Amino acid sequence: MFKKFDPSNDVSTSTQVKASVQRAIKSQISTSHPSLTDAILDELLPKKPPLVQYKVGPHLMLYCRGSEPVFFQQRDGPILPSLKFVHKYPSLDFTKVVVDKGAIPFLLGGAHCMCPGLTNPGGWMPEDGKEQDVQGFDVPGLEVGDGVVIYAEGKELPLAVGVMKLSSAQVREKNKGVGIEVAHFLGDGLYQTEEIQ
């Protein structure tokens, strides 16, 4: 998504985000990443200065704190953090997965995360079946469409951000094909962007 991102050409319009929209964004972020409490989000995204929303292409919104890109959203998908934002606050506990060492060069090249990278030794996803739904079925640890921060085996900081294409239960069961659609990775155009004006 951001492989060839160039803020001078790809960003079309900017709008200051209203307080009500900023509250809705915080609510979506806390739903996607339950360990981020309202107090933490208020500290990370204060009312002053307000967020600025930039339109990138026809279906992408980039949210900036001042001129620093902090979150982005494609269409009606989850709001995802930028890698620089996650690197800046490494103690924050975003919803995450870990891929094995063999997946690292592919992800750094911009490839999507395949299921074996998550299920091989060294890979990790949240457990399935910790909770049951209304009908008594096990709920997968991650659902289709959940936003995740992708870490690599043995590394402290994440190398990509993406959206689950299969639930964690399906990834474990099928173990083939694309498990996570990578939206933003280390070294892409957004990562190399210092500020947007």
Side-chain angles (χ1 to χ4, degrees):
M1 182 182 311
F2 289 107
K3 193 169 191 173
K4 297 179 180 175
F5 176 71
D6 177 16
S8 59
N9 295 328
D10 297 337
V11 175
S12 56
T13 60
S14 68
T15 331
Q16 193 168 339
V17 174
K18 294 180 186 174
S20 59
V21 175
Q22 189 161 335
R23 279 193 304 275
I25 290 169
K26 286 180 185 178
S27 172
Q28 277 187 286
I29 293 168
S30 66
T31 303
S32 299
H33 307 283
S35 61
L36 298 181
T37 63
D38 290 339
I40 292 172
L41 285 172
D42 287 341
E43 204 171 303
L44 294 173
L45 303 172
K47 290 180 181 176
K48 302 277 182 183
L51 282 177
V52 178
Q53 172 183 301
Y54 291 92
K55 189 170 182 182
V56 179
H59 306 292
L60 187 68
M61 292 296 172
L62 187 61
Y63 299 103
C64 297
R65 185 175 55 187
S67 60
E68 172 197 9
V70 288
F71 290 98
F72 63 93
Q73 180 179 28
Q74 184 178 17
R75 296 183 185 234
D76 293 331
I79 296 178
L80 301 169
S82 72
L83 279 173
K84 281 197 176 174
F85 184 72
V86 178
H87 290 175
K88 192 172 185 178
Y89 302 102
S91 62
L92 292 180
D93 193 17
F94 288 98
T95 303
K96 71 175 187 177
V97 297
V98 179
V99 294
D100 66 349
K101 289 180 180 177
I104 295 172
F106 298 103
L107 291 175
L108 291 177
H112 296 310
C113 184
M114 307 303 276
C115 293
L118 297 164
T119 57
N120 287 345
W124 178 86
M125 291 182 292
E127 288 181 43
D128 298 320
K130 278 190 168 179
E131 300 174 14
Q132 267 77 38
D133 63 11
V134 179
Q135 298 157 340
F137 294 109
D138 288 348
V139 176
L142 294 169
E143 297 279 354
V144 175
D146 283 355
V148 292
V149 177
I150 305 169
Y151 287 76
E153 176 187 7
K155 306 293 182 196
E156 288 181 28
L157 298 174
L159 67 142
V161 176
V163 178
M164 296 294 293
K165 285 287 138 200
L166 300 170
S167 71
S168 53
Q170 292 170 323
V171 168
R172 288 183 175 97
E173 184 183 318
K174 282 179 69 173
N175 201 23
K176 60 168 42 167
V178 175
I180 302 172
E181 185 179 284
V182 173
H184 169 39
F185 60 93
L186 212 55
D188 68 4
L190 179 60
Y191 187 79
Q192 293 175 6
T193 301
E194 293 296 327
E195 58 181 35
I196 295 180
Q197 295 181 8

